[in-house]
Amino acid sequence: MITRDAAAFFTHARTLRPDFGPATAQAAFLVAPEGFCLAEQSAQDNRYMAQASGFDAECAMTQHRTLHRAMSQVVPTVCFAGDADTPDAVFPNNVFATAAGRYVVGRMRHPVRQREAARADIRNFLGGVMDYAEIDLSTQPHACELTGSLVIDRARGLGLCGLSERCDEEGARLMHEAFGLRATLTFDLAPGEYHANVVLAVLAGRAAIVSPSGFADTGVARAIADFYAPNAIVLSEAEHAAFAGNAIALSADTVWMSARADAALDPRNRQLLAAAGFQVRAVELDAIEAGGGSLRCCIAEIF
């Protein structure tokens, strides 16, 4: 089932048990921010990106190593080398993603990011070392920037796909099939938004962080929040701007976000996360955030 009808989608979703697969990843990988700088093509439709003078490559590398060390305490975490020819590669979850026994390669909108999809080392790791079957969407014409555009409830097999220049209707359908999802809801992002994972997170299948201002139709955001209630954390515009929606649960009891997002989090929303069984763990990532993404964007999950 893939639909724009939120009422029909959630009526169906409420019949599904959380038995589709593990709610959190077994491992993860990162790509180091070597050569980290402004990617002018990506800046065309990413309003979160800083000007070129706002990039500090050395600080970004230091913060990324800290993230790697912190994540390695929770799940096995591999870090691949970066490449100055692909300055956005620090955000690999847009390009590579996994589902049970297979890995998916996304079709990126901009040529500077399409180069990332050709990386033999990551493909060889996922296909050779992990022995996952390949689903390569990178050469077809429809943009589908994987778990940047598609937020997945892995426990239930549900997809929540934000449409923008980075993902069209056909791209959403291709991802729905590639991940073998039970149902996917598609919706338009608000003007100026590029990825659903900046405005929405599903945490271990039992909670959601939602930023209504990132949706073209705030009724869709309300429907998502209603589905995950009482474990629905609704963000203010200030929390949204600080990347609080770009969070991830790597285990059943912790939600990770950047220090900037953590500082912006309203105490009531922190209490709601605690009531849902999550503590917040934060890492300084302001140098990385100059690239227009935050913590969740840096993490490619391995299921």
Side-chain angles (χ1 to χ4, degrees):
M1 174 186 184
I2 181 166
T3 181
R4 276 183 172 268
D5 186 333
F9 175 84
F10 286 113
T11 295
H12 177 61
R14 287 184 171 90
T15 70
L16 302 177
R17 295 176 57 83
D19 60 358
F20 184 76
T24 58
Q26 63 173 325
F29 74 80
L30 310 172
V31 176
E34 295 171 46
F36 191 55
C37 63
L38 176 67
E40 293 185 1
Q41 291 175 8
S42 298
Q44 295 172 17
D45 60 349
N46 185 339
R47 65 184 176 87
Y48 298 97
M49 293 184 77
Q51 298 297 313
S53 61
F55 283 74
D56 183 336
E58 184 176 346
C59 183
M61 185 67 79
T62 298
Q63 291 182 348
H64 197 265
R65 290 193 190 103
T66 300
L67 173 64
H68 187 188
R69 286 193 296 270
M71 285 180 54
S72 296
Q73 297 171 13
V74 179
V75 293
T77 306
V78 174
C79 186
F80 290 94
D83 184 341
D85 288 335
T86 56
D88 278 343
V90 69
F91 304 128
N93 80 305
N94 308 157
V95 188
F96 295 97
T98 65
R102 59 197 183 278
Y103 75 94
V104 185
V105 187
R107 166 57 158 81
M108 307 305 291
R109 181 188 180 212
H110 296 294
V112 69
R113 300 224 61 190
Q114 291 168 9
R115 292 197 289 267
E116 297 172 41
R119 285 191 60 151
D121 56 347
I122 296 177
R123 287 175 180 252
N124 289 339
F125 172 74
L126 294 171
V129 177
M130 299 299 298
D131 196 28
Y132 284 1
E134 179 186 85
I135 300 177
D136 190 351
L137 304 179
S138 67
T139 60
Q140 55 78 41
H142 296 275
C144 49
E145 298 199 354
L146 301 190
T147 55
S149 298
L150 179 67
V151 175
I152 303 177
D153 180 333
R154 300 278 185 163
R156 295 179 180 82
L158 298 176
L160 301 164
C161 189
L163 303 181
S164 69
E165 292 173 309
R166 304 290 187 99
C167 181
D168 62 17
E169 292 271 11
E170 179 62 13
R173 186 192 65 79
L174 291 168
M175 291 193 297
H176 171 83
E177 293 179 353
F179 287 100
L181 300 174
R182 288 167 166 168
T184 294
L185 175 67
T186 62
F187 51 89
D188 294 321
L189 296 176
E193 297 295 345
Y194 70 107
H195 275 161
N197 77 355
V198 178
V199 303
L200 174 66
V202 173
L203 307 175
R206 69 174 192 273
I209 300 175
V210 185
S211 178
S213 63
F215 291 71
D217 178 359
T218 57
V220 175
R222 287 194 299 272
I224 295 171
D226 288 345
F227 180 73
Y228 288 98
N231 299 330
I233 292 81
V234 179
L235 301 180
S236 67
E237 291 192 21
E239 291 169 301
H240 170 183
F243 289 111
N246 196 240
I248 188 171
L250 293 171
S251 59
D253 59 357
T254 303
V255 55
W256 293 70
M257 58 181 65
S258 73
R260 176 184 173 191
D262 180 49
L265 196 63
D266 187 281
R268 291 170 296 181
N269 282 336
R270 194 180 303 278
Q271 290 172 3
L272 286 171
L273 285 169
F278 294 101
Q279 62 174 334
V280 176
R281 186 161 178 183
V283 179
E284 290 282 357
L285 283 180
D286 58 299
I288 297 289
E289 288 173 338
S294 191
L295 190 143
R296 195 274 170 267
C297 300
C298 294
I299 301 169
E301 298 169 280
I302 300 174
F303 284 88

